Amino acid sequence: MAQPIKHADVVAWLSAYKVAWVTQNPDKVVCLFTSDAEYVENPFDRAMKGREAIRAYWIEGAVNSQLDIAFESTLWDLTDDNAFVHWTATFTRVASGEIIRLDGVFRLHFIRSQGNDVHCKKLEEWWFRFPA
């Protein structure tokens, strides 16, 4: 039987997520997710399903369009395999030079693999964009 997801597991995952985003590395991003993961950027959008869909989203939405990325997160609650996280991000849009500030919440569902690694099975986010 797999060990339960712990606070330290989620904090480590969030740290790896931060490194992947700040360094704009879609390979590092997709390694954080299960092969069949769902990624929901907006609660009214369809989920992106699978690592290749997540990779494509990150290449288009981050690697090709963001500079000077900063990301911080705080784990609010962990219940069973579900984490609730507050996060903030700031970046510069490549096309316009506009500085974007976001304040958001993740609901993350994790699983532990047989190798004891923790991967995200589903990411749902809600965020607010602050005016420049």
Side-chain angles (χ1 to χ4, degrees), residues 46-125:
R46 288 185 172 188
M48 291 166 264
K49 295 184 179 181
R51 287 181 174 162
E52 288 312 307
I54 295 168
R55 178 190 313 278
Y57 165 74
W58 273 88
I59 289 171
E60 179 66 27
V63 175
N64 292 339
S65 65
Q66 299 174 0
L67 298 171
D68 306 320
I69 302 158
F71 174 83
E72 296 299 327
S73 61
T74 303
L75 175 57
W76 277 346
D77 188 43
L78 176 62
T79 305
D80 299 322
D81 299 336
N82 295 291
F84 298 87
V85 176
H86 173 249
W87 60 269
T88 58
T90 305
F91 55 85
T92 303
R93 285 270 180 226
V94 170
S96 66
E98 179 183 12
I99 296 173
I100 306 295
R101 293 185 307 141
L102 303 175
D103 191 318
V105 174
F106 287 143
R107 178 170 52 194
L108 305 165
H109 177 72
F110 291 101
I111 64 166
R112 187 179 297 279
S113 69
Q114 289 183 351
N116 213 29
D117 293 329
V118 172
H119 292 95
C120 185
K121 175 84 171 159
K122 186 170 187 178
L123 177 150
E124 297 171 283
E125 63 182 338

Side-chain angles (χ1 to χ4, degrees), residues 14-61:
L14 289 165
S15 178
Y17 184 90
K18 174 182 180 172
V19 168
W21 191 357
V22 169
T23 62
Q24 297 183 311
N25 188 326
D27 292 330
K28 285 185 179 181
V29 169
V30 297
C31 288
L32 297 170
F33 293 88
T34 62
S35 61
D36 62 344
E38 293 185 21
Y39 193 116
V40 183
E41 186 205 11
N42 180 313
F44 303 105
D45 291 343
R46 288 185 172 188
M48 291 166 264
K49 295 184 179 181
R51 287 181 174 162
E52 288 312 307
I54 295 168
R55 178 190 313 278
Y57 165 74
W58 273 88
I59 289 171
E60 179 66 27

